[in-house]
């Protein structure tokens, strides 16, 4: 159905989450608009925010069988109703082409919340890869079906 759901399902399995060390995962339906390397692309109306035990977090979405993620190690508070994931890597994964991990990326994903950290109201990611000289942007709004699951006991 949705490639992102398959990816999240694999990560969320008890054996996989123990190996990957997922701390928490948030999934949501949302209107999605993306621009990948200066080209507008449609994307599935679904996103995930995953926090790992090693301190890294990522925001992921898919388009036409390709999984895109914005990830970083730092989250900065931006006030009582928002925070920013400071992006240091953009990753592009597909079953058809080799994975591209753009570790020279810099940018941020700003997450607006209801004030208590959840549910999310909107997400706006904007990152640039210096080596690939490319820009990656995605926005999610009209968020619904917000679900958060913690894996730490």
């Amino acid at each position: 159905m949705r490639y992102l759901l398959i990816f999240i399902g694999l990560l969320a399995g008890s054996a996989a989450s123990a190996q990957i060390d997922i701390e928490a995962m948030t999934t949501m339906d949302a209107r999605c608009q993306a621009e990948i390397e200066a080209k507008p692309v449609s994307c599935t109306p679904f996103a995930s925010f995953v926090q790992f035990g090693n301190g890294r977090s990522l925001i992921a979405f898919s388009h036409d069988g390709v999984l895109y993620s914005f990830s970083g190690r730092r989250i900065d508070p931006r006030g009582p109703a928002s925070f920013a994931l400071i992006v240091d890597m953009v990753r592009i994964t597909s079953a058809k082409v080799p994975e591209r991990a753009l570790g020279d990326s810099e940018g941020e994903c700003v997450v607006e919340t209801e004030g208590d950290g959840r549910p999310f109201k909107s997400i706006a990611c904007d990152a640039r890869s210096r080596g690939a000289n490319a820009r990656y942007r995605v926005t999610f709004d009209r968020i619904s079906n917000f679900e958060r699951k913690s894996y730490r006991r």
Side-chain angles (χ1 to χ4, degrees):
M1 190 168 130
R2 295 184 223 183
Y3 290 100
L4 192 55
L5 278 174
I6 293 167
F7 169 74
I8 289 172
L10 289 172
L11 286 180
S14 59
S17 65
Q19 292 173 349
I20 298 174
D21 194 19
I22 295 175
E23 188 171 301
M25 182 175 356
T26 304
T27 59
M28 67 212 81
D29 293 332
R31 182 176 69 167
C32 177
Q33 298 176 324
E35 182 181 298
I36 306 300
E37 298 174 351
K39 297 177 190 134
V41 297
S42 61
C43 41
T44 58
F46 182 81
S48 65
F49 175 63
V50 182
Q51 295 170 285
F52 297 95
N54 66 1
R56 291 193 68 79
S57 298
L58 69 78
I59 294 172
F61 71 98
S62 66
H63 161 69
D64 202 22
V66 179
L67 179 69
Y68 298 91
S69 66
F70 294 77
S71 65
R73 181 169 294 280
R74 195 172 94 222
I75 294 179
D76 289 344
R78 297 285 171 96
S82 69
F83 64 89
L85 168 63
I86 306 306
V87 174
D88 60 20
M89 180 177 294
V90 173
R91 190 177 301 266
I92 303 168
T93 307
S94 167
K96 298 177 184 176
V97 296
E99 175 181 26
R100 291 176 52 201
L102 304 170
D104 65 344
S105 299
E106 47 188 32
E108 65 182 15
C109 293
V110 176
V111 180
E112 299 289 333
T113 72
E114 293 291 336
D116 60 356
R118 55 185 176 201
F120 295 176
K121 290 173 28 180
S122 66
I123 301 171
C125 297
D126 190 351
R128 185 174 299 279
S129 168
R130 293 181 304 273
N133 193 27
R135 186 174 189 180
Y136 303 89
R137 298 187 325 176
V138 64
T139 59
F140 302 98
D141 61 9
R142 299 184 188 167
I143 292 174
S144 63
N145 297 323
F146 184 90
E147 187 175 323
R148 180 174 172 85
K149 180 161 177 135
S150 294
Y151 293 93
R152 293 287 170 113
R153 295 187 173 107

